[in-house]
Amino acid sequence: MVVAFVMMRLNFVHPDPTDPGHMSDRYRAGFGLAGYADEGGFSMVSLEEHQATEVGWSPTPLLNAAVILSRTESLSVAVTALLVPLHDPVRLAQELAVVDLVGRGRFSVTAGLGYRPAEYAAVRKDWHRRGRILDHALETMQRVWSGEEFEYNGAMVKVGPMPYTRPHPVVMIGGSGPAAARRAARFGLPLQLPAPNPEVEALYYAECERLGKQGFCIVPENVAMVHVVDDPDEAWAKLGKHFWLEASVYDSWQPPGQTSAVHSHATSQEELRAEGVYQFLTPEQAVERARRTGTLSLHPLVGGMPIDSAWESVQLTVDKVIPALRH
């Protein structure tokens, strides 16, 4: 038994995503790392979706999830978050069902609106109607997963396959504002906050009680993206630029008021190190952090990190960190 939740984040960012050789190597490495992590005692892989980025940021998380689940036996896969309004809801319900079938219940997804108009423009979706589009998609997906025939776009439809998890795959609502709390309660779904927000959390539970729904809220705390190394000082000097690439790109996307547990506000690599959102840790430091916080979140391919460095980080975790966390 491991006394901490050890997970891995994969988003396949690279400074030159137009190079098919680089990107092929990264995807193959990511899937290989997930398989090794499954055998080595990791609990979860976290994936995410962003469209129309300049750094190749993971546009196909469901495809990635299916590949990882097909190559693993115990690892769970969470997509946090999936930009549901950018997808056709009937097709999306079917894809989620298939991924859930492949993973036999080891799969969850957080439904998000997103915060970048460019992503909506890229797939010809109306940014100003995003909330209504999400509501319609959630309603449609639940009807698909019921297995019953229903009217859709003027025709009676019944589509499959049915998901492995009943009544449907684990779907959470992501968001940081009151609208997300009310939406999650209305649909009877869990709420996942991107950062602690007691007012929104309280509103969610109040709405669940008012509507007679059962629910729970996931609130991230003490989050840090970790890369395990033997010498953190040397790693910051040689590899810190990969942390900085992801942190700076992600920060450039954030609208005023947007908050996230992994949103760095650093203006330089030196500030990034002091801030603590991204950390190089020795195996011993990683053990201490995992014991103190209950979680350890590796980000082995962060910001174009060299593949050999990614493997080193995961192997050190499997060889030295996880054994120390076992009873």
Side-chain angles (χ1 to χ4, degrees), residues 4-325:
F5 189 83
V6 182
M7 62 176 291
M8 175 191 301
R9 179 184 175 191
L10 294 172
N11 58 21
F12 303 100
V13 167
H14 192 275
D16 184 14
T18 61
D19 186 320
H22 286 167
M23 295 310 294
S24 174
D25 289 345
R26 298 195 79 70
Y27 274 96
R28 292 172 67 87
F31 299 147
L33 286 164
Y36 180 76
D38 179 55
E39 297 174 354
F42 278 63
S43 299
M44 177 183 284
V45 168
S46 171
L47 305 171
E48 58 212 60
E49 176 183 13
H50 278 294
Q51 302 291 333
T53 78
E54 66 274 29
V55 289
W57 203 301
S58 189
T60 58
L62 297 185
L63 178 60
N64 302 342
V67 173
I68 291 171
L69 289 167
S70 72
R71 298 175 60 161
T72 58
E73 295 297 329
S74 60
L75 201 68
S76 62
V77 175
V79 178
T80 57
L82 182 72
L83 305 182
V84 170
L86 306 186
H87 300 263
D88 176 83
V90 173
R91 177 70 180 228
L92 181 58
Q94 293 175 297
E95 292 180 355
L96 288 169
V98 169
V99 177
D100 190 51
L101 287 167
V102 174
R104 295 193 171 187
R106 293 183 286 128
F107 173 63
S108 66
V109 61
T110 299
L113 278 174
Y115 43 81
R116 298 175 59 233
E119 294 180 300
Y120 282 72
V123 295
R124 296 188 177 183
K125 294 283 187 173
D126 188 346
W127 166 257
H128 300 289
R129 296 185 64 252
R130 59 193 182 278
R132 282 172 285 177
I133 295 172
L134 177 55
D135 287 343
H136 174 258
L138 292 169
E139 292 168 0
T140 301
M141 290 191 295
Q142 289 184 339
R143 297 183 76 178
V144 169
W145 292 326
S146 74
E148 299 176 357
E149 188 177 46
F150 66 99
E151 184 177 353
Y152 187 73
N153 288 342
M156 298 304 295
V157 298
K158 182 178 180 179
V159 295
M162 291 298 96
Y164 183 86
T165 305
R166 303 302 296 156
H168 56 71
V170 177
V171 177
M172 295 171 277
I173 300 299
S176 57
R182 294 190 179 97
R183 176 175 290 112
R186 187 167 68 253
F187 282 97
L189 297 173
L191 174 68
Q192 181 162 21
L193 296 174
N197 191 325
E199 291 183 3
V200 173
E201 183 180 0
L203 173 62
Y204 169 68
Y205 284 117
E207 285 292 289
C208 285
E209 183 176 2
R210 183 180 70 83
L211 297 170
K213 302 288 183 68
Q214 295 291 326
F216 63 89
C217 182
I218 296 178
V219 183
E221 295 184 287
N222 299 311
V223 177
M225 297 295 101
V226 170
H227 200 84
V228 181
V229 295
D230 286 319
D231 187 336
D233 291 332
E234 180 182 36
W236 271 108
K238 293 183 177 179
L239 303 173
K241 63 183 179 181
H242 302 292
F243 280 169
W244 176 242
L245 172 67
E246 178 175 289
S248 58
V249 169
Y250 190 68
D251 179 60
S252 72
W253 292 345
Q254 306 305 310
Q258 183 72 25
T259 181
S260 167
V262 294
H263 177 193
S264 167
H265 299 277
T267 61
S268 67
Q269 189 170 306
E270 291 71 25
E271 287 184 12
L272 187 68
R273 181 175 186 176
E275 184 182 55
V277 175
Y278 292 85
Q279 298 182 11
F280 287 109
L281 299 180
T282 66
E284 294 75 20
Q285 290 170 331
V287 170
E288 188 279 329
R289 175 177 175 79
R291 287 175 172 163
R292 175 169 47 85
T293 67
T295 62
L296 187 68
S297 301
L298 266 68
H299 198 355
L301 290 170
V302 56
M305 183 72 70
I307 291 171
D308 58 350
S309 296
W311 274 104
E312 177 187 9
S313 174
V314 177
Q315 288 171 338
L316 283 171
T317 303
V318 169
D319 292 344
K320 297 184 177 181
V321 177
I322 291 177
L325 297 175

